[in-house]
Amino acid sequence: QFHPLKFFTSMTNDIAIQPNGTDTNFGINTIGIVRAPRGDGKEAIVLVSPYNSQSVQSNELLSLALGFSVFSLLSRAAWLSKDVVWLSADSQFGEYAAVSAWLNQYHNPVFLSQSVILHTKMYGANHINDGNSEKTEVTAFKRAGTMAAALIFKVGETRRYGDRDSVMMYAEASNGQMPNLDLLNVVHYLAVHRQGFRVSIAAFSSLLSSAWLRVIAELLHTLGSVLRKINPDWKLDIAVPDYVEGTANLANSIFSQALGVPTGSHGAFRDYQADTVSLEFSPTFHVRNEDAKSLFQLCCLRLIEGVVRSVNNLLEKFHQSFFLYFLTAPSKFISVGVYMIPFALLLAPLPIVAAALADGSKSMEKTVHKLIEHSKADDITDIPQSKGGSCKWLQAAKVLFVIQLWAIALSVLFGSPYSAGVEWKLLKAAMITSISIGLGLMSIINFATAQLGALIVVPMCLFSRPLKASGMNFLPRAVLLASNIVFAVLGFPPAAVLIMKGVSKGSCSWTTDFGDFWIWMEFLLEWSSVTYLYLYLVHLPCWLLCILVLLHPCRQLESKMKQD
């Protein structure tokens, strides 16, 4: 039988935030645990209902009602083989902060002092006995087994469009971590095929209304229709709305993973290797409509119960499906085996180009030595002599090392690298070698960051060429000059922030300044995003080296050799 007073305790020290030195504000998380009648207490399923205790809205009350109803139902379930924990997270200081504080205390026990124990209360009880057993039950932090999975659900704002209720799924955690794909498939199948919800994921709104993207989709649809007439097995005629929506979803999925910041409080669970997904229910009626609210609540309860039943039946955690993927739709994805191919193709030319540049510089050096010998015989003195020999590689590496130190220390680059007489080909070869290593290491930590970075950095490195270099006709040189300028502008981090802000938030957001970039970097640093390290240790040094290559004062050895 369900006894609420035996399930719920509230700890006043769960999370404390001190805005100043005198006052202390507390956020109180309320938890309840159902012990599985068929389990051994080693595994648990966590349900989370966030709410703002200082300003409770009607949709938050409905979220708490959903949590209490499903918790009451599960407390009478005889089929449970895993414990169920319901966390009512006080999100007055943020949903992530509330959930993260509880998880930290769950996995890292804190022993309470006597002063805190005296202030501990049991809400809903009329009195507290003085017995030792009762005091121990009140003050003990409630725990269950290892978290097999977690589900965060809340009721969002009422939608004024659509013919049925919808569910928004959020899955991106810190530094590109994603839950096992099977968990998302379970939620999508139960929501769509069992309860009739419309499931959606976050997308770039500007791409959904983009005219040029729709034109591209129509062209691809026409081409796919022609190819399908040739061979019916080629199903390439994707509908225009599906292509536009899939592109917007894919862009948002890549950007969210590359940013490295969780899209919800589910990111706190992923830090403890617990597969978690956040669900935001959006009804099409006003929450005060009692009849529609009852039907909506019933569908939500059945969905949550179905997810709990699916996880409860597992003999082990999700591990058979993908952990690295990009979402193009709630039920469609691009696996790591697919999107690592273009990334490998982007990185493959870099070592080849670096070797070719080094070999070209070596061949040029041999040619210059021959010209010097002929000049001594013919009394020619206007050919510059090349010094250093094989040490030129060390000079290029020295420039690269100085710029890397500048990036790490965030200091000013003292001196000019041109004073060392470094050839631009060797400098570019050293830059490409460094970029290939940096992107390769970044792909191990956060593949989405490496993928987005490679789309900008690789063309910028390959197209970089001194503006004063000769040996090309007017048209190729003009095209190369325009490409260098475009990639130099796009590769500058504040410009990249402006572009991503405009693409993600629409045409009304194409304004920014250096302060926005600084705030963005502080935001990444606060969330311990690996993208912060990528920008300072890989991307920004690469951009500066490209600028050095563009402004390199070439000595025009080719023209002198042609004249001779």
Side-chain angles (χ1 to χ4, degrees):
Q1 189 176 359
F2 179 61
H3 298 285
L5 299 184
K6 292 187 178 181
F7 285 111
F8 298 98
T9 60
S10 297
M11 308 299 293
T12 57
N13 71 321
D14 191 78
I15 176 173
I17 295 181
Q18 297 182 356
N20 52 52
T22 57
D23 298 330
T24 301
N25 298 327
F26 291 96
I28 302 175
N29 289 335
T30 304
I31 64 169
I33 300 178
V34 174
R35 303 298 177 181
R38 294 178 177 268
D40 53 2
K42 294 182 179 179
E43 289 184 301
I45 304 171
V46 182
L47 305 177
V48 181
S49 301
Y51 76 103
N52 188 354
S53 61
Q54 300 299 317
S55 178
V56 182
Q57 304 296 327
S58 56
N59 57 337
E60 294 178 340
L61 292 176
L62 188 55
S63 301
L64 293 176
L66 284 176
F68 191 86
S69 299
V70 71
F71 192 76
S72 176
L73 173 65
L74 295 176
S75 65
R76 300 189 297 268
W79 44 264
L80 273 180
S81 59
K82 292 180 175 62
D83 296 342
V84 176
V85 180
W86 179 37
L87 171 64
S88 181
D90 187 356
S91 59
Q92 57 177 307
F93 303 112
E95 296 180 8
Y96 188 94
V99 176
S100 178
W102 178 77
L103 285 172
N104 183 41
Q105 192 169 359
Y106 187 92
H107 293 88
N108 303 292
V110 177
F111 298 97
L112 305 180
S113 61
Q114 186 65 25
S115 59
V116 176
I117 293 177
L118 293 177
H119 289 84
T120 304
K121 299 179 181 179
M122 173 178 280
Y123 289 85
N126 295 327
H127 63 279
I128 299 178
N129 297 331
D130 294 332
N132 294 331
S133 60
E134 186 72 17
K135 183 180 295 186
T136 302
E137 182 181 358
V138 172
T139 59
F141 186 87
K142 300 297 183 180
R143 288 180 176 83
T146 303
M147 297 178 184
L151 183 66
I152 302 172
F153 55 90
K154 62 180 180 179
V155 179
E157 299 295 334
T158 303
R159 295 190 305 117
R160 297 182 179 179
Y161 58 91
D163 54 347
R164 53 179 175 167
D165 303 329
S166 65
V167 179
M168 179 74 74
M169 289 196 309
Y170 299 94
E172 292 82 6
S174 58
N175 292 324
Q177 297 183 87
M178 296 289 288
N180 193 280
L181 190 61
D182 286 339
L183 180 60
L184 300 184
N185 292 335
V186 167
V187 173
H188 178 267
Y189 178 82
L190 294 176
V192 174
H193 300 284
R194 294 295 180 88
Q195 306 306 325
F197 284 106
R198 184 189 302 275
V199 181
S200 59
I201 57 178
F204 278 172
S205 58
S206 60
L207 294 181
L208 291 175
S209 58
S210 176
W212 61 268
L213 183 59
R214 186 168 295 274
V215 171
I216 295 176
E218 291 176 354
L219 292 176
L220 293 178
H221 177 72
T222 303
L223 180 61
S225 301
V226 174
L227 294 177
R228 190 167 187 177
K229 291 179 180 179
I230 299 175
N231 189 349
D233 294 334
W234 295 347
K235 299 179 181 180
L236 302 177
D237 52 340
I238 304 176
V240 175
D242 294 340
Y243 183 87
V244 173
E245 184 179 0
T247 303
N249 293 335
L250 177 61
N252 184 82
S253 180
I254 296 176
F255 175 73
S256 299
Q257 293 187 35
L259 193 62
V261 178
T263 55
S265 54
H266 54 270
F269 284 93
R270 192 58 199 156
D271 293 338
Y272 295 94
Q273 304 304 312
D275 294 319
T276 312
V277 62
S278 294
L279 303 180
E280 183 176 354
F281 298 98
S282 297
T284 55
F285 59 89
H286 197 274
V287 292
R288 295 182 180 179
N289 189 337
E290 295 298 333
D291 295 334
K293 183 169 65 176
S294 299
L295 181 60
F296 171 76
Q297 188 175 6
L298 179 61
C299 294
C300 295
L301 290 176
R302 288 176 176 174
L303 172 59
I304 298 172
E305 181 191 2
V307 175
V308 172
R309 281 180 176 269
S310 300
V311 178
N312 179 77
N313 293 333
L314 293 177
L315 298 179
E316 51 191 7
K317 294 179 65 176
F318 289 114
H319 70 281
Q320 297 290 345
S321 188
F322 294 99
F323 286 96
L324 298 174
Y325 54 89
F326 295 142
L327 291 175
T328 60
S331 59
K332 298 179 181 179
F333 66 98
I334 299 177
S335 67
V336 63
V338 175
Y339 65 73
M340 70 180 300
I341 297 176
F343 178 76
L345 293 177
L346 284 173
L347 290 187
L350 296 184
I352 301 175
V353 173
L357 289 172
D359 184 70
S361 177
K362 189 175 181 179
S363 301
M364 182 69 66
E365 182 181 351
K366 292 180 179 179
T367 305
V368 171
H369 282 307
K370 291 181 180 179
L371 289 176
I372 291 175
E373 294 177 358
H374 289 296
S375 65
K376 291 180 179 179
D378 300 335
D379 295 332
I380 300 176
T381 59
D382 59 345
I383 297 180
Q385 297 186 7
S386 177
K387 298 180 181 180
S390 60
C391 295
K392 289 184 177 182
W393 259 109
L394 297 178
Q395 296 173 357
K398 178 182 177 182
V399 175
L400 179 64
F401 179 71
V402 170
I403 293 180
Q404 290 288 349
L405 287 181
W406 165 84
I408 296 175
L410 298 179
S411 59
V412 180
L413 181 62
F414 295 100
S416 174
Y418 308 131
S419 60
V422 181
E423 294 185 12
W424 71 269
K425 290 185 178 181
L426 291 180
L427 184 61
K428 182 177 178 179
M431 173 186 65
I432 290 177
T433 304
S434 174
I435 290 305
S436 59
I437 296 175
L439 290 176
L441 294 177
M442 186 56 57
S443 65
I444 302 175
I445 305 173
N446 190 341
F447 208 105
T449 301
Q451 187 88 10
L452 274 183
L455 292 177
I456 301 176
V457 170
V458 172
M460 184 170 59
C461 292
L462 296 180
F463 277 90
S464 61
R465 181 182 175 88
L467 300 178
K468 296 182 179 180
S470 61
M472 299 181 64
N473 296 328
F474 174 76
L475 183 59
R477 185 176 182 181
V479 173
L480 188 61
L481 176 61
S483 302
N484 284 330
I485 295 176
V486 169
F487 283 116
V489 173
L490 294 179
F492 190 49
V497 172
L498 172 62
I499 295 173
M500 297 307 301
K501 182 180 178 181
V503 171
S504 60
K505 296 184 179 181
S507 58
C508 60
S509 302
W510 287 96
T511 56
T512 188
D513 52 19
F514 190 79
D516 293 338
F517 173 73
W518 188 263
I519 294 174
W520 188 58
M521 295 303 296
E522 288 184 342
F523 177 71
L524 295 179
L525 179 61
E526 181 180 357
W527 283 96
S528 301
S529 174
V530 74
T531 307
Y532 179 86
L533 296 179
Y534 165 78
L535 288 175
Y536 274 113
L537 300 182
V538 179
H539 190 97
L540 197 57
C542 171
W543 177 82
L544 182 58
L545 286 169
C546 287
I547 297 300
L548 295 181
V549 172
L550 291 178
L551 302 179
H552 195 282
C554 298
R555 292 184 173 87
Q556 310 293 342
L557 291 179
E558 296 89 346
S559 60
K560 289 183 178 295
M561 288 187 294
K562 289 181 180 179
Q563 292 176 2
D564 294 333

